[in-house]
Amino acid sequence: MRTIFWDDGVVMVDQTLLPERFEILVCKTVHQLAEAIKRLAVRGAPALEAAGAYGIALAAYERDFNDLVEIKKHIQDAARLLASTRPTAVNLFVGIERALKAAMSGDSIEEVRKLALQEAERIAEEDVERNKKLGEYGAELIEDGSTIMTYCNAGRLATVDWGTALGVVRSAVSQGKRVKVIACETRPLNQGSRLTCWELIQDGIDVTLITDSMAGIVMQKSMVDCVIVGADRIVRDAVFNKIGTYTVAVLAKHHGIPFYVAAPRATFDWNRSMKEVTIEERSRDELIYCGNRLLAPENVRVYNPAFDPTPLDLVSAIITEYGIIREPYSENVPKILEL
Ligand code: MRU
């Protein structure tokens, strides 16, 4: 089943409830979708690309309009609302922009609706195809019997289907390779323990959960052959991914373990540098509560950035649907991706 799709509204797996409950959430308005994005019911950069695009289609269908001017104005307002939900994953903006451009080229209310939805469906299809391609390329890097560490969730749930980092794992497994995964829990929202472990167990892939603070010891004990993570935005000097990725990359470098990033072309924002990217800061409650239980004094000062930049010199290779890109990135990224 796809993580996000269109069926008279934007339909998604509600990721906040996993692994306790598997529930489907249907957003019938752009406001509902914006809330779903903010509270991470849908999350992961490629899934956000589809969500942004479907959001534009939703704006076109969510109510009646008197004329072309009115529907286009409503869609532009919706694009601004969707773009204000989360700042770091560039794919969200790519999805919004593509569907917006398609919608704006329509000459009637019906055509605007059709074009917006067509583009959103195209983006969703493309995501599945590019993840399969990326997975095939990435699987070349995986030897039979490997143990792969991953961080956060860059799997089916973070994309429309298949996954990026976990897409590589799935492709290697489907080629008959025996692969084991070590999943870091990924505090504070535990995408690793809740989502990565859940989806790998669903697929019968061998997974072991560790806390983020155990990443060092498993590398020291030679229990990891390589690390593969996804990305929210790749700029010319760094890869932005879930907070804690940078720490794992430093550890991997120290232990001589390859650190791979798996991401589609749409995740590249090559004209920008690390300093120009806004890192989302999230609620203090994510650190001081576990459900209703206090984990820290309620009045403690909290710093809760959701992403960190890993400098590109810590990255052994970037796995894309166009092939595997290695250093020098300043030359090879624009050449291979035609950016
Ligand atoms: O805050 P999230 O859960 O949206 O963060 C997601 C990540 O950091 C993923 O690793 C990234 O989006 C890559 S998903 C293929």
Side-chain angles (χ1 to χ4, degrees), residues 15 37 40 42-48 86 89 91 127 131 150-159 163-166 186 189 191 194-195 229-233 240-243 245 262-264 267 280 282 306-307:
Q15 300 189 34
I37 294 172
L40 311 198
V42 58
R43 45 143 303 277
L48 290 175
R86 300 191 72 192
N91 304 62
D127 184 51
N131 292 338
T150 191
Y151 198 82
C152 193
N153 172 265
R156 265 189 220 296
L157 291 166
T159 60
T164 55
L166 296 189
T186 319
L189 293 181
Q191 289 92 331
R194 291 189 305 106
L195 307 176
V229 298
D232 289 88
R233 190 186 290 244
F240 283 81
N241 193 50
K242 180 53 53 196
I243 189 74
T245 302
T267 305
E280 177 182 6
R282 295 187 59 87
F307 300 94

Side-chain angles (χ1 to χ4, degrees), residues 183-315:
C184 299
E185 67 174 352
T186 319
R187 278 280 293 150
L189 293 181
N190 290 64
Q191 289 92 331
S193 52
R194 291 189 305 106
L195 307 176
T196 294
C197 293
W198 181 82
E199 65 166 81
L200 290 179
I201 287 172
Q202 293 278 312
D203 278 9
I205 296 174
D206 189 310
V207 59
T208 301
L209 171 66
I210 60 168
T211 67
D212 304 336
S213 52
M214 295 169 193
I217 193 169
V218 294
M219 290 190 189
Q220 200 176 49
K221 283 174 159 267
S222 305
M223 290 164 73
V224 179
D225 296 298
C226 69
V227 179
I228 314 182
V229 298
D232 289 88
R233 190 186 290 244
I234 303 177
V235 294
R236 60 175 181 264
D237 51 357
V239 171
F240 283 81
N241 193 50
K242 180 53 53 196
I243 189 74
T245 302
Y246 171 48
T247 316
V248 174
V250 172
L251 278 170
K253 182 82 160 188
H254 180 77
H255 290 280
I257 295 169
F259 180 90
Y260 301 124
V261 173
R265 183 178 186 272
T267 305
F268 287 75
D269 186 14
W270 204 242
N271 290 327
R272 259 184 256 275
S273 70
M274 194 190 309
K275 289 200 185 86
E276 295 169 271
V277 177
T278 305
I279 296 180
E280 177 182 6
E281 285 193 32
R282 295 187 59 87
S283 153
R284 63 197 308 279
D285 289 0
E286 292 180 355
L287 267 70
I288 64 172
Y289 286 103
C290 177
N292 291 329
R293 191 122 191 252
L294 262 185
L295 296 176
E298 210 161 13
N299 56 351
V300 71
R301 186 179 310 117
V302 166
Y303 175 51
N304 184 18
F307 300 94
D308 57 25
T310 295
L312 281 179
D313 59 350
L314 297 177
V315 177

Side-chain angles (χ1 to χ4, degrees), residues 62-78:
E62 71 180 339
R63 67 167 175 84
D64 293 331
F65 299 96
N66 291 317
D67 54 36
L68 194 58
V69 174
E70 193 181 87
I71 189 173
K72 288 192 175 176
K73 156 99 176 51
H74 183 70
I75 289 174
Q76 278 163 332
D77 290 344

Side-chain angles (χ1 to χ4, degrees), residues 49-61:
E49 188 175 329
Y54 280 130
I56 296 297
L58 195 54
Y61 281 99

Side-chain angles (χ1 to χ4, degrees), residues 1-105:
M1 189 197 142
R2 291 192 168 189
T3 300
I4 180 163
F5 57 95
W6 179 269
D7 186 8
D8 255 349
V10 184
V11 186
M12 63 185 74
V13 176
D14 186 341
Q15 300 189 34
T16 60
L17 304 176
L18 287 169
E20 277 171 299
R21 294 203 307 277
F22 181 91
E23 272 183 28
I24 299 300
L25 174 71
V26 184
C27 295
K28 290 280 190 186
T29 68
V30 176
H31 276 97
Q32 285 170 352
L33 178 61
E35 280 314 302
I37 294 172
K38 278 192 212 161
R39 62 181 187 86
L40 311 198
V42 58
R43 45 143 303 277
L48 290 175
E49 188 175 329
Y54 280 130
I56 296 297
L58 195 54
Y61 281 99
E62 71 180 339
R63 67 167 175 84
D64 293 331
F65 299 96
N66 291 317
D67 54 36
L68 194 58
V69 174
E70 193 181 87
I71 189 173
K72 288 192 175 176
K73 156 99 176 51
H74 183 70
I75 289 174
Q76 278 163 332
D77 290 344
R80 272 190 292 276
L81 174 67
L82 292 164
S84 71
T85 52
R86 300 191 72 192
T88 310
V90 72
N91 304 62
L92 172 67
F93 304 97
V94 171
I96 295 169
E97 284 304 320
R98 276 185 59 179
L100 183 64
K101 194 172 165 209
M104 289 302 129
S105 67

